[in-house]
Amino acid sequence: MKRAVKAGVDSVEHGTYMTDEIMKLMKKKGTYFVPTISAGKWAAEKADTYPAIVQPKARAIGPKMQATFARAYKKGVKIAFGTDAGIFPHGLNAKEFVYMTEAGMPAMEAIQSATLTAAKLLRIDDTLGSVEAEKIADLVAVKGNPLEDIALMSKVSFVMKSGVVYKHD
């Protein structure tokens, strides 16, 4: 990670064994951290279903990811939302919001990590990431206030993509 950050990568994904030194360097260089806590929790929970050679790593690394995230957040490392959802069923991605807030990130910042901050990381914040005139109308809505209950982010009632409604309960 240290070599990658020094070389100028835009982001570090997972980052389980990220040290304070690397966090300080990431903050200095403006490198984003995409923690993928969901992947770690899923791997740890399902460790017994993996091949024997993978099981020890799944058990050891999974539980560390949320703690690494908490330390990085407290140190001011830029956090972008990511789940590495390829290892678990699609649709569980929103649990990442819960895991982030459990580790100390306020709900609004967790939501922004998936919207504006992720758009900044991808360098597309001129067209995506916030609700503003001249930006693409990609929206999700939930019933209730996710700032009061972040778990509502997993109960999407409305989806709009480029101004077209694709789901409405």
Side-chain angles (χ1 to χ4, degrees):
M1 283 182 273
K2 185 176 177 180
R3 288 191 301 262
V5 173
K6 281 185 170 186
V9 297
D10 293 326
S11 64
V12 170
E13 286 68 31
H14 311 299
T16 308
Y17 293 114
M18 189 183 301
T19 64
D20 289 346
E21 177 189 11
I22 294 168
M23 291 176 195
K24 184 177 178 182
L25 184 61
M26 288 175 73
K27 189 172 176 184
K28 177 182 173 187
K29 300 275 267 175
T31 309
Y32 290 80
F33 176 35
V34 182
T36 68
I37 302 165
S38 299
K41 287 191 177 277
W42 182 268
E45 180 183 316
K46 302 295 182 185
D48 291 341
T49 67
Y50 297 143
I53 195 165
V54 177
Q55 290 177 13
K57 181 178 179 184
R59 284 188 195 98
I61 289 180
K64 295 179 190 310
M65 294 174 89
Q66 193 172 28
T68 300
F69 164 82
R71 286 188 8 259
Y73 174 72
K74 286 178 188 164
K75 291 194 176 289
V77 175
K78 294 191 291 188
I79 308 286
F81 190 95
T83 62
D84 203 5
I87 74 160
F88 57 82
H90 185 70
L92 301 178
N93 318 45
K95 286 187 174 185
E96 191 80 5
F97 291 113
V98 173
Y99 301 145
M100 293 169 99
T101 58
E102 284 175 355
M105 180 180 267
M108 180 57 86
E109 287 184 45
I111 293 167
Q112 288 173 328
S113 77
T115 55
L116 183 58
T117 306
K120 286 179 179 179
L121 166 59
L122 297 171
R123 296 187 185 104
I124 56 173
D125 55 304
D126 58 331
T127 57
L128 289 172
S130 59
V131 180
E132 297 178 53
E134 305 301 319
K135 288 195 173 186
I136 297 171
D138 288 355
L139 305 168
V140 297
V142 299
K143 292 179 183 175
N145 185 349
L147 301 181
E148 294 173 5
D149 180 7
I150 196 68
L152 291 172
M153 294 301 289
S154 66
K155 298 175 182 148
V156 175
S157 61
F158 178 92
V159 174
M160 180 184 287
K161 171 75 176 124
S162 299
V164 177
V165 175
Y166 286 91
K167 177 185 178 191
H168 190 268
D169 287 341

